[in-house]
Structures are given as structure tokens and as C-alpha cells.
Amino acid sequence: MFHLVGFGGVCPKGHFCRVRSTLPEGCPDGSYQDEEGQTYCKSCPAGYVCLAKATTFNDTVCPSGSYCLVNTSIPILCDEGTFNALTGQKEESNCVLCTAGKYCEGSGLSKPTADCYGGWFCKNGSTKPTPDGGKAFILQVYIVLR
């Protein structure tokens, strides 16, 4: 936080001051400024999250279950059927398909939801414990194999 005292002063961290500024402007979401007296804000690096008026990015690592591109203010959640156990990830490919024998229901998972139900098999990327529509799929396979 900064306090306006007197007639002006150096532009504070987390802000930028353009030529002829009358007041400091806070850095927008997805950027930061860790130095005083600057005319611009720096891009938040990939793998991190930067909220408005950020003075650093080091303490805001992208959480597991997501990835963060350059200029991220809101982590991008891994899609359903995938997960990401690591923090600080930078691209969508860091979200891996759910492990065979398990399922990943919902988005933003840091680990598979659980094992698939007994009597069912789950390939990589399964989103349900009874994949492929359940009994209807098994019935179709039974009819075809007869």
C-alpha cells in the first residue's frame, strides 16, 4: 500500500507511472512490478500466477491440477480425464491422461479420482468408474462377440 503525501514521489512497487502521471496505476492482473520508479509492469512468467498490483511472482506458483501460461492471473484447470500432480506447470501438455485402471472425474485434478469399479476396465483418460456408458456398452460387446 502507498500513501499520498506532499506533492508526489517515486512510483511504488506493484504500480507503474507513465509520463505525466498524476497518480500511480496498479499493475493489472497477469503482471507485476518488483521495482520502484517504473513506467511499465513486467509480464508474469509461465508457471506462476500474478494478481493485480503484484510486487513479485515468486510466492504465487501455479497450483497442481492446472497450468499457467505467460501473463496468467487465473490458473487454467486440467481437463476432465487428465491430472497434473506438479506445481509450477507451464503448458497444457503438463496435464497427463488419467492412469489406466483409474478415472479422473471433473477438471483441475492433482491426482486420479479413484480406482475404476470391480467388473469394469478403464483405459488411459477415463472419466467415470464405469466407462463407456456402463451396461449398454458391455451388452453391445456381448452381442457382437456371440
Side-chain angles (χ1 to χ4, degrees):
M1 179 189 265
F2 62 92
H3 300 283
L4 299 176
V5 179
F7 298 99
V10 66
C11 198
K13 293 178 181 181
H15 295 76
F16 66 102
C17 298
R18 301 172 201 223
V19 173
R20 295 191 189 135
S21 290
T22 57
L23 290 173
E25 293 182 59
C27 290
D29 283 342
S31 66
Y32 75 101
Q33 184 49 264
D34 57 353
E35 300 176 77
E36 293 181 337
Q38 299 303 306
T39 59
Y40 62 92
C41 294
K42 300 173 183 178
S43 294
C44 190
Y48 293 88
V49 177
C50 296
L51 301 177
K53 300 179 185 175
T55 59
T56 185
F57 62 89
N58 293 328
D59 58 349
T60 53
V61 176
C62 193
S64 61
S66 63
Y67 59 98
C68 298
L69 304 173
V70 171
N71 295 329
T72 293
S73 62
I74 299 173
I76 302 165
L77 300 179
C78 291
D79 290 333
E80 185 171 41
T82 67
F83 73 100
N84 170 18
L86 304 174
T87 60
Q89 298 307 294
K90 302 175 182 181
E91 51 195 48
E92 186 177 13
S93 64
N94 297 129
C95 299
V96 296
L97 285 176
C98 198
T99 311
K102 298 185 179 292
Y103 69 101
C104 294
E105 186 173 34
S107 57
L109 299 177
S110 59
K111 63 181 181 178
T113 304
D115 292 334
C116 289
Y117 292 169
W120 299 89
F121 65 94
C122 295
K123 292 187 174 185
N124 288 343
S126 290
T127 59
K128 296 182 173 120
T130 58
D132 299 312
K135 293 180 183 178
F137 172 73
I138 298 298
L139 182 59
Q140 289 171 358
V141 171
Y142 177 74
I143 292 170
V144 169
L145 294 176
R146 272 186 104 191

